[in-house]
Amino acid sequence: MNSYRVKRNVKKFLFLLMVLLIIVTLMFPVAAMISVSLKKANDVFTMPVTWVPKVFAFGNYVQVFRKMHILNGFKASLVITGMTIALIMVIAIPAAYAFSCLNFYCKKQMYYLVLVSQMFAPVIVIIPLYTMMNKMGLIDSWLSLVLMNTTFNLAFIVLMLKATFDGVPKEVVEAAKIDGCSPFMVMTRIFLPVSSTGIAVAVIFAFTRTWNEFLFAFTFISTTEKKPIIVSLYEILKNNPAVGIPWHYVMAGAMYTTVPLVILFICIRNYITGDHTAGAIK
């Protein structure tokens, strides 16, 4: 009995140690970012490394706020991200529902086509896409970024939602059909409420990918007032090349860009935790 308790305690200790190592590994970049953002330029590369600055340089955030045009950057990023997520969800939810529940011609072939589309990196087609956007008059327009972000995120979101919809109990769907629900009503009244957790995760993924997207934003947008915040952060790297990269400003700017992601996760955390199918079947 004692040996069993010892083994159980050892396993528990090893598990907690592993969890602690994972947390430390994940939080290390965040701690480094916060530490550097509060240091003066001369203290960034001092040896030995100090995690707590001797003098907190909160002025870094003021300087970055001015250099990055934070308000314009936030406005651009929020508009682009919001429109992209809305367009993705309008297309992805019916598509995922169709792949999960409906039978139609070439269903398997279309599903494989969605999988294959994930093989193409945006950088491969950036030149023809720029040419196409230029002919359509969408260069230096937020709409071009909405279309590109939707195009390259849509397939993965469809796959995510299909996997979520596949987990909806068949009994609930059949009961809804017996009650006279059409396929559209089944999707809106059954799948959406029951799959809110998976949809929330898909929204977080789409938000993160769109908010941090750099290639198309840097290539298609030239007007300073229209640049997303991630491109504004890059502008700091180009300032004063003779004196090197101002890492204290870069990290302060990174803190600005990270805040919306944290706020989004806090706002929808209740949709991620919990079992929304509980009580669906008696």
Side-chain angles (χ1 to χ4, degrees), residues 138-157:
L138 295 179
I139 294 298
D140 203 24
S141 170
W142 290 341
L143 183 58
S144 62
L145 300 186
V146 173
L147 294 176
M148 291 301 99
N149 287 320
T150 301
T151 301
F152 287 95
N153 290 321
L154 181 60
F156 189 77
I157 297 297

Side-chain angles (χ1 to χ4, degrees), residues 57-130:
F58 292 103
N60 293 342
Y61 288 89
V62 178
Q63 293 296 325
V64 170
F65 188 90
R66 296 172 180 173
K67 291 184 177 182
M68 285 181 59
H69 305 283
I70 290 294
L71 297 181
N72 290 331
F74 270 129
K75 176 184 176 182
S77 293
L78 288 173
V79 171
I80 294 168
T81 304
M83 293 176 63
T84 300
I85 292 176
L87 184 58
I88 286 176
M89 290 302 159
V90 167
I91 301 174
I93 290 176
Y97 172 73
F99 281 126
S100 179
C101 299
L102 304 182
N103 293 318
F104 52 90
Y105 182 71
C106 291
K107 175 180 177 180
K108 182 179 293 186
Q109 290 79 356
M110 292 183 66
Y111 180 73
Y112 288 145
L113 184 62
V114 173
L115 288 174
V116 171
S117 67
Q118 292 294 294
M119 298 172 58
F120 300 98
V123 68
I124 299 175
V125 291
I126 186 65
I127 295 178
L129 285 176
Y130 182 88

Side-chain angles (χ1 to χ4, degrees), residues 25 107 115 159 165 180 187 210 232:
T25 303
K107 175 180 177 180
L115 288 174
L159 297 177
F165 290 166
M187 181 186 70
T210 305
S232 299

Side-chain angles (χ1 to χ4, degrees), residues 219-236:
T219 305
F220 293 165
I221 304 297
S222 57
T223 304
T224 301
E225 290 74 16
K226 294 183 179 180
K227 290 181 179 180
I229 194 168
I230 197 70
V231 179
S232 299
L233 178 61
Y234 173 74
E235 297 295 330
I236 298 178

Side-chain angles (χ1 to χ4, degrees), residues 6-83:
V6 171
K7 290 181 180 179
R8 187 178 63 180
N9 291 334
V10 170
K11 289 182 180 180
K12 185 182 295 185
F13 173 76
L14 292 177
F15 175 75
L16 293 176
L17 181 61
M18 182 180 65
V19 172
L20 180 61
L21 289 175
I22 294 174
I23 293 175
V24 171
T25 303
L26 293 176
M27 294 304 298
F28 177 80
V30 179
M33 179 173 64
I34 296 174
S35 176
V36 175
S37 69
L38 293 173
K39 290 182 178 181
K40 294 183 178 180
N42 297 331
D43 297 333
V44 173
F45 295 104
T46 55
M47 297 297 293
V49 177
T50 57
W51 285 94
V52 180
K54 297 179 180 178
V55 178
F56 289 92
F58 292 103
N60 293 342
Y61 288 89
V62 178
Q63 293 296 325
V64 170
F65 188 90
R66 296 172 180 173
K67 291 184 177 182
M68 285 181 59
H69 305 283
I70 290 294
L71 297 181
N72 290 331
F74 270 129
K75 176 184 176 182
S77 293
L78 288 173
V79 171
I80 294 168
T81 304
M83 293 176 63

